[in-house]
PDB file of all heavy atoms in Angstrom:
ATOM      1  N   GLN T 380     165.224  64.251 107.969  1.00 88.00           N
ATOM      2  CA  GLN T 380     165.664  63.510 109.142  1.00 88.00           C
ATOM      3  C   GLN T 380     164.798  62.277 109.382  1.00 88.00           C
ATOM      4  O   GLN T 380     165.151  61.422 110.174  1.00 88.00           O
ATOM      5  CB  GLN T 380     165.529  64.395 110.410  1.00 88.00           C
ATOM      6  CG  GLN T 380     166.155  65.773 110.299  1.00 88.00           C
ATOM      7  CD  GLN T 380     167.645  65.705 110.163  1.00 88.00           C
ATOM      8  OE1 GLN T 380     168.321  64.925 110.873  1.00 88.00           O
ATOM      9  NE2 GLN T 380     168.217  66.444 109.224  1.00 88.00           N
ATOM     10  N   LEU T 381     163.639  62.225 108.684  1.00 89.00           N
ATOM     11  CA  LEU T 381     162.674  61.159 108.999  1.00 89.00           C
ATOM     12  C   LEU T 381     162.747  60.027 107.984  1.00 89.00           C
ATOM     13  O   LEU T 381     163.166  60.219 106.842  1.00 89.00           O
ATOM     14  CB  LEU T 381     161.255  61.725 108.997  1.00 89.00           C
ATOM     15  CG  LEU T 381     160.977  62.811 110.043  1.00 89.00           C
ATOM     16  CD1 LEU T 381     159.620  63.447 109.767  1.00 89.00           C
ATOM     17  CD2 LEU T 381     161.015  62.228 111.445  1.00 89.00           C
ATOM     18  N   LYS T 382     162.302  58.814 108.459  1.00 90.00           N
ATOM     19  CA  LYS T 382     162.243  57.665 107.565  1.00 90.00           C
ATOM     20  C   LYS T 382     160.926  57.717 106.785  1.00 90.00           C
ATOM     21  O   LYS T 382     160.891  57.477 105.591  1.00 90.00           O
ATOM     22  CB  LYS T 382     162.321  56.368 108.399  1.00 90.00           C
ATOM     23  CG  LYS T 382     163.517  55.490 108.028  1.00 90.00           C
ATOM     24  CD  LYS T 382     163.598  54.277 108.954  1.00 90.00           C
ATOM     25  CE  LYS T 382     162.457  53.339 108.648  1.00 90.00           C
ATOM     26  NZ  LYS T 382     162.187  52.333 109.684  1.00 90.00           N
ATOM     27  N   ASP T 383     159.880  57.989 107.499  1.00 90.00           N
ATOM     28  CA  ASP T 383     158.579  58.089 106.820  1.00 90.00           C
ATOM     29  C   ASP T 383     157.751  59.236 107.400  1.00 90.00           C
ATOM     30  O   ASP T 383     158.065  59.766 108.466  1.00 90.00           O
ATOM     31  CB  ASP T 383     157.814  56.771 106.884  1.00 90.00           C
ATOM     32  CG  ASP T 383     157.725  56.214 108.297  1.00 90.00           C
ATOM     33  OD1 ASP T 383     158.076  56.957 109.249  1.00 90.00           O
ATOM     34  OD2 ASP T 383     157.303  55.065 108.457  1.00 90.00           O
ATOM     35  N   MET T 384     156.714  59.641 106.634  1.00 90.00           N
ATOM     36  CA  MET T 384     155.867  60.768 107.055  1.00 90.00           C
ATOM     37  C   MET T 384     154.402  60.454 106.734  1.00 90.00           C
ATOM     38  O   MET T 384     154.110  59.689 105.826  1.00 90.00           O
ATOM     39  CB  MET T 384     156.226  62.034 106.255  1.00 90.00           C
ATOM     40  CG  MET T 384     157.565  62.641 106.604  1.00 90.00           C
ATOM     41  SD  MET T 384     157.704  64.292 105.912  1.00 90.00           S
ATOM     42  CE  MET T 384     157.536  63.971 104.182  1.00 90.00           C
ATOM     43  N   ARG T 385     153.512  61.127 107.501  1.00 88.00           N
ATOM     44  CA  ARG T 385     152.095  61.062 107.145  1.00 88.00           C
ATOM     45  C   ARG T 385     151.793  62.269 106.253  1.00 88.00           C
ATOM     46  O   ARG T 385     152.149  63.402 106.608  1.00 88.00           O
ATOM     47  CB  ARG T 385     151.226  61.138 108.399  1.00 88.00           C
ATOM     48  CG  ARG T 385     149.708  61.088 108.096  1.00 88.00           C
ATOM     49  CD  ARG T 385     148.932  61.707 109.246  1.00 88.00           C
ATOM     50  NE  ARG T 385     149.088  60.943 110.478  1.00 88.00           N
ATOM     51  CZ  ARG T 385     148.290  59.921 110.803  1.00 88.00           C
ATOM     52  NH1 ARG T 385     147.299  59.577 110.022  1.00 88.00           N
ATOM     53  NH2 ARG T 385     148.501  59.266 111.919  1.00 88.00           N
ATOM     54  N   VAL T 386     151.153  62.031 105.081  1.00 88.00           N
ATOM     55  CA  VAL T 386     150.730  63.144 104.233  1.00 88.00           C
ATOM     56  C   VAL T 386     149.199  63.174 104.240  1.00 88.00           C
ATOM     57  O   VAL T 386     148.547  62.231 103.791  1.00 88.00           O
ATOM     58  CB  VAL T 386     151.257  62.977 102.795  1.00 88.00           C
ATOM     59  CG1 VAL T 386     150.796  64.167 101.940  1.00 88.00           C
ATOM     60  CG2 VAL T 386     152.773  62.892 102.812  1.00 88.00           C
ATOM     61  N   THR T 387     148.655  64.269 104.806  1.00 84.00           N
ATOM     62  CA  THR T 387     147.195  64.345 104.969  1.00 84.00           C
ATOM     63  C   THR T 387     146.580  65.175 103.856  1.00 84.00           C
ATOM     64  O   THR T 387     146.962  66.326 103.638  1.00 84.00           O
ATOM     65  CB  THR T 387     146.851  64.964 106.327  1.00 84.00           C
ATOM     66  OG1 THR T 387     147.534  64.210 107.332  1.00 84.00           O
ATOM     67  CG2 THR T 387     145.363  64.913 106.592  1.00 84.00           C
ATOM     68  N   PHE T 388     145.616  64.564 103.135  1.00 84.00           N
ATOM     69  CA  PHE T 388     144.841  65.284 102.117  1.00 84.00           C
ATOM     70  C   PHE T 388     143.460  65.571 102.676  1.00 84.00           C
ATOM     71  O   PHE T 388     143.148  65.164 103.807  1.00 84.00           O
ATOM     72  CB  PHE T 388     144.729  64.422 100.853  1.00 84.00           C
ATOM     73  CG  PHE T 388     146.057  64.148 100.209  1.00 84.00           C
ATOM     74  CD1 PHE T 388     146.787  63.010 100.540  1.00 84.00           C
ATOM     75  CD2 PHE T 388     146.589  65.037  99.278  1.00 84.00           C
ATOM     76  CE1 PHE T 388     148.009  62.752  99.949  1.00 84.00           C
ATOM     77  CE2 PHE T 388     147.816  64.776  98.682  1.00 84.00           C
ATOM     78  CZ  PHE T 388     148.526  63.631  99.025  1.00 84.00           C
ATOM     79  N   HIS T 389     142.644  66.251 101.892  1.00 78.00           N
ATOM     80  CA  HIS T 389     141.306  66.595 102.424  1.00 78.00           C
ATOM     81  C   HIS T 389     140.470  65.343 102.653  1.00 78.00           C
ATOM     82  O   HIS T 389     139.573  65.304 103.473  1.00 78.00           O
ATOM     83  CB  HIS T 389     140.580  67.566 101.479  1.00 78.00           C
ATOM     84  CG  HIS T 389     140.107  66.936 100.198  1.00 78.00           C
ATOM     85  ND1 HIS T 389     138.804  66.563 100.014  1.00 78.00           N
ATOM     86  CD2 HIS T 389     140.780  66.602  99.079  1.00 78.00           C
ATOM     87  CE1 HIS T 389     138.693  66.028  98.806  1.00 78.00           C
ATOM     88  NE2 HIS T 389     139.875  66.054  98.233  1.00 78.00           N
ATOM     89  N   ASP T 390     140.806  64.254 101.938  1.00 83.00           N
ATOM     90  CA  ASP T 390     139.961  63.063 102.036  1.00 83.00           C
ATOM     91  C   ASP T 390     140.639  61.891 102.753  1.00 83.00           C
ATOM     92  O   ASP T 390     140.108  60.791 102.774  1.00 83.00           O
ATOM     93  CB  ASP T 390     139.528  62.624 100.624  1.00 83.00           C
ATOM     94  CG  ASP T 390     140.719  62.291  99.751  1.00 83.00           C
ATOM     95  OD1 ASP T 390     141.838  62.698 100.125  1.00 83.00           O
ATOM     96  OD2 ASP T 390     140.533  61.633  98.714  1.00 83.00           O
ATOM     97  N   GLY T 391     141.794  62.141 103.293  1.00 83.00           N
ATOM     98  CA  GLY T 391     142.438  61.038 103.994  1.00 83.00           C
ATOM     99  C   GLY T 391     143.945  61.247 104.022  1.00 83.00           C
ATOM    100  O   GLY T 391     144.449  62.290 103.615  1.00 83.00           O
ATOM    101  N   ALA T 392     144.702  60.265 104.497  1.00 86.00           N
ATOM    102  CA  ALA T 392     146.148  60.430 104.638  1.00 86.00           C
ATOM    103  C   ALA T 392     146.889  59.230 104.051  1.00 86.00           C
ATOM    104  O   ALA T 392     146.320  58.160 103.879  1.00 86.00           O
ATOM    105  CB  ALA T 392     146.489  60.591 106.115  1.00 86.00           C
ATOM    106  N   LEU T 393     148.156  59.485 103.717  1.00 90.00           N
ATOM    107  CA  LEU T 393     149.017  58.419 103.179  1.00 90.00           C
ATOM    108  C   LEU T 393     150.256  58.311 104.059  1.00 90.00           C
ATOM    109  O   LEU T 393     150.758  59.316 104.572  1.00 90.00           O
ATOM    110  CB  LEU T 393     149.470  58.748 101.753  1.00 90.00           C
ATOM    111  CG  LEU T 393     148.366  58.968 100.703  1.00 90.00           C
ATOM    112  CD1 LEU T 393     149.016  59.465  99.420  1.00 90.00           C
ATOM    113  CD2 LEU T 393     147.602  57.684 100.476  1.00 90.00           C
ATOM    114  N   ARG T 394     150.705  57.081 104.211  1.00 91.00           N
ATOM    115  CA  ARG T 394     152.015  56.937 104.853  1.00 91.00           C
ATOM    116  C   ARG T 394     153.048  56.871 103.740  1.00 91.00           C
ATOM    117  O   ARG T 394     152.929  56.070 102.820  1.00 91.00           O
ATOM    118  CB  ARG T 394     152.031  55.652 105.677  1.00 91.00           C
ATOM    119  CG  ARG T 394     153.345  55.485 106.424  1.00 91.00           C
ATOM    120  CD  ARG T 394     153.406  54.164 107.117  1.00 91.00           C
ATOM    121  NE  ARG T 394     154.794  53.843 107.393  1.00 91.00           N
ATOM    122  CZ  ARG T 394     155.194  52.682 107.849  1.00 91.00           C
ATOM    123  NH1 ARG T 394     154.307  51.720 108.054  1.00 91.00           N
ATOM    124  NH2 ARG T 394     156.470  52.455 108.101  1.00 91.00           N
ATOM    125  N   THR T 395     154.055  57.762 103.786  1.00 91.00           N
ATOM    126  CA  THR T 395     155.027  57.819 102.694  1.00 91.00           C
ATOM    127  C   THR T 395     156.448  57.643 103.233  1.00 91.00           C
ATOM    128  O   THR T 395     156.763  58.025 104.362  1.00 91.00           O
ATOM    129  CB  THR T 395     154.962  59.174 101.967  1.00 91.00           C
ATOM    130  OG1 THR T 395     155.217  60.179 102.933  1.00 91.00           O
ATOM    131  CG2 THR T 395     153.607  59.420 101.342  1.00 91.00           C
TER     132      THR T 395
END
Side-chain angles (χ1 to χ4, degrees):
Chain T
Q380 309 294 317
L381 298 170
K382 239 176 70 196
D383 51 11
M384 289 193 300
R385 179 203 296 272
V386 180
T387 306
F388 297 92
H389 72 101
D390 60 343
L393 302 172
R394 183 186 160 188
T395 58

